Amino acid sequence: MKTWTVVFGLVLAACGVHASAAPTRVHVFVALADNATQGISPVPAKIGNGDDAESNLYWGASEGFRSIFARSKSWRLEKAEANPTLQILDRRIYRNAAKDCTLVAEAWRGKNIHQCLEAFFNSLRDRKCDLTAFIGHNGLMDEPVAVSVLGAEAPPTDAIILCCVSGSYFKPHLAALKTRPVLTTEQLMYPGAFVLRDALDVWLSKGTLSEIRMSAARAYAANQGISVKAAAGVFSKLE
């Protein structure tokens, strides 16, 4: 328990001061795809090794978080830290000057997805960021994660959860943590980081929940070669 207290402390410290302070702060938790330990449909071995962030489907591959944000003209990498903990293989800090936003992203080992989800929920509980996001396999399908219930006086915070059927699986956790979901999913889906990139852009521009959902739908439709209408059905109608 002491070890995880230290890990959570590092995660929250990386995210920064309370969400009410400028700049806007976002924290992204990425659980690397892992054929060996997660209940996922197997992917090619090179991108399904949860101990290899460099090539992983959700991080270093062409549509993984690191690659998508490296190609973005809006986000500038300010700091990269390899292996900050035993469970985290890569931690990166980005800056979006136009939107006055700092983003911390972490690549968690696939076998540590449970701890990654615990850290995600703890970040929401402690209100260190304006928005907290999760990308990866829906680990709640494999193992439950307990959360504490916050009082009604908790300040507002938002969440984006990109994994299969996150809307129903994460709903009670978000309710307990008094968190507003701004993008969740209703179907089995591919959580490419291009969805987060486009949804974040609308969220940072103070777009509506409908605008955030449709931005995600357009990005998903373009990637999957399906209609925007079909892609919109992948995401929860939260508005």
Side-chain angles (χ1 to χ4, degrees), residues 48-82:
N49 180 351
D51 291 323
D52 179 14
E54 187 71 22
S55 301
N56 197 268
L57 177 64
Y58 298 145
W59 191 258
S62 62
E63 294 169 356
F65 181 91
R66 189 191 68 183
S67 299
I68 289 291
F69 276 71
R71 295 195 297 269
S72 172
K73 295 180 180 179
S74 300
W75 295 94
R76 178 172 61 87
L77 179 65
E78 292 198 327
K79 182 179 179 181
E81 183 181 5

Side-chain angles (χ1 to χ4, degrees), residues 97-113:
K99 302 294 186 181
D100 193 22
C101 178
T102 297
L103 182 153
V104 177
E106 295 172 341
W108 286 66
R109 291 184 188 273
K111 64 185 177 184
N112 295 121
I113 187 171

Side-chain angles (χ1 to χ4, degrees), residues 149-226:
V149 178
L150 292 184
E153 71 283 357
T157 194
D158 290 348
I160 288 177
I161 307 170
L162 297 177
C163 63
C164 295
V165 204
S166 63
S168 57
Y169 276 87
F170 284 75
K171 184 176 181 179
H173 300 73
L174 298 182
L177 294 168
K178 303 297 187 292
T179 295
R180 181 181 75 145
V182 298
L183 186 65
T184 58
T185 68
E186 294 296 303
Q187 303 176 17
L188 301 180
M189 56 88 68
Y190 165 48
F194 50 85
V195 174
L196 178 66
R197 177 200 60 201
D198 288 10
L200 265 183
D201 186 60
V202 177
W203 180 82
L204 286 168
S205 299
K206 302 188 184 305
T208 65
L209 293 176
S210 177
E211 289 169 338
I212 293 170
R213 181 170 68 92
M214 292 312 298
S215 176
R218 286 189 291 272
Y220 198 72
N223 177 267
Q224 296 289 296
I226 59 177

Side-chain angles (χ1 to χ4, degrees), residues 31-32 37-38 108-118 134 136-140 142-143 145:
L32 299 181
T37 64
Q38 297 173 3
W108 286 66
R109 291 184 188 273
K111 64 185 177 184
N112 295 121
I113 187 171
H114 186 82
Q115 290 83 5
C116 179
L117 284 168
E118 287 180 329
F134 173 79
H137 166 60
N138 186 342
L140 297 184
D142 303 331
E143 184 179 2
V145 177

